[in-house]
Amino acid sequence: MVRRLKEGEQRLWVEYAREVRPLRGRPPSALPKLADPPPASAPPPTPATMPPAPAAPKPAPPRSPLARRPVEIGVRLSGLDDTSWRSLSNGRLRAERRLDLHGQRAQTAFMLLHDFLLRAQHERLRCVEIITGAGSGPEGGILRRELPHWLSRHDLRHLVLAAVHPHSGNVGSVRVLLRRRPAPGATQQNPAPGATQQNPAPGAPQQNPAPGAPQQNPAPGAKQQDPAPGMKQQRPTPTRNRPVRTK
């Protein structure tokens, strides 16, 4: 049973399909017609005043070199440490989840891949595997050829750190190393009001009060603190009652 695409999914597919060039000798496929967006309501009339000043152009957001470089299968990209690249390229980094696109149409496969990667990054997965199938021909099937272009799109490129085949004999599968999402609540929390404060370690030097500072007397009924372990307690010297001599 084939699921019909929603309006937002159709717009995303048309945006991608406009960037694809058809093969030689084949006419470009017709794109589905999208419904025109509803017209915006006209603003209420305002009295004749001075013309408004032109708005300053918004600066374009800076693009990092990592986002401009497309994803290539088996090629190390900048920003990846040596340990992670060796674990991924040698096959020691196992996939935590797999997506099988074998036998799917290109339009459906792209939508499944888009949702799968966003969900995997939200769940803080580190490595996932995409199965496209080897396909026929020297360059493989359409899913195998289009997967690097899909991973290089602006809405998915920031999630991908690297992509490799599990081994040289399995070109119909690609393992993708994802950029891990920061854990929620990573900021340091302050202690709750009324929390008990830890006592200093036994044997730690005690700070003496400043000269001339008034010494605080213990509150009435307060228990006297015992000396720290290892400290000798001074005992009072015993006195003897001497007998009184009488003449």
Side-chain angles (χ1 to χ4, degrees), residues 39-238:
S41 58
T46 57
T49 55
M50 296 180 60
K58 297 182 179 180
R63 299 181 61 185
S64 62
L66 181 63
R68 290 194 297 265
R69 184 173 180 181
V71 176
E72 300 181 31
I73 308 300
V75 177
R76 180 179 178 179
L77 303 176
S78 58
L80 185 61
D81 58 280
D82 298 338
T83 304
S84 300
W85 171 249
R86 285 195 299 265
S87 300
L88 180 66
S89 58
N90 295 339
R92 293 196 302 268
L93 189 60
R94 300 296 180 181
E96 302 176 67
R97 195 166 298 174
R98 289 178 174 84
L99 175 64
D100 191 357
L101 300 177
H102 188 267
Q104 298 286 347
R105 295 183 178 180
Q107 183 178 4
T108 306
F110 171 73
M111 300 306 305
L112 293 175
L113 174 68
H114 189 274
D115 296 342
F116 175 76
L117 292 181
L118 292 181
R119 190 181 305 111
Q121 199 263 351
H122 179 73
E123 298 178 6
R124 304 186 72 250
L125 300 182
R126 183 63 171 170
C127 181
V128 295
E129 187 169 349
I130 313 298
I131 301 174
T132 60
S136 58
E139 298 182 0
I142 183 173
L143 299 183
R144 177 184 166 190
R145 296 194 308 266
E146 294 298 327
L147 180 60
H149 303 289
W150 292 344
L151 297 178
S152 302
R153 285 178 51 90
H154 62 89
D155 50 351
L156 295 178
R157 180 62 186 87
H158 65 283
L159 306 177
V160 181
L161 289 175
V164 299
H165 295 296
H167 50 82
S168 58
N170 186 8
V171 295
S173 179
V174 175
R175 287 185 181 176
V176 181
L177 184 65
L178 299 178
R179 188 183 304 275
R180 184 165 293 177
R181 176 171 169 261
T187 58
Q188 186 177 3
Q189 298 181 356
N190 297 326
T196 57
Q197 187 176 3
Q198 296 182 357
N199 298 325
Q206 186 177 5
Q207 296 181 358
N208 298 325
Q215 187 176 3
Q216 296 180 358
N217 297 324
K223 296 181 179 181
Q224 187 176 3
Q225 296 181 357
D226 297 333
M231 297 181 61
K232 294 182 179 181
Q233 184 178 7
Q234 296 181 1
R235 297 180 179 179
T237 305

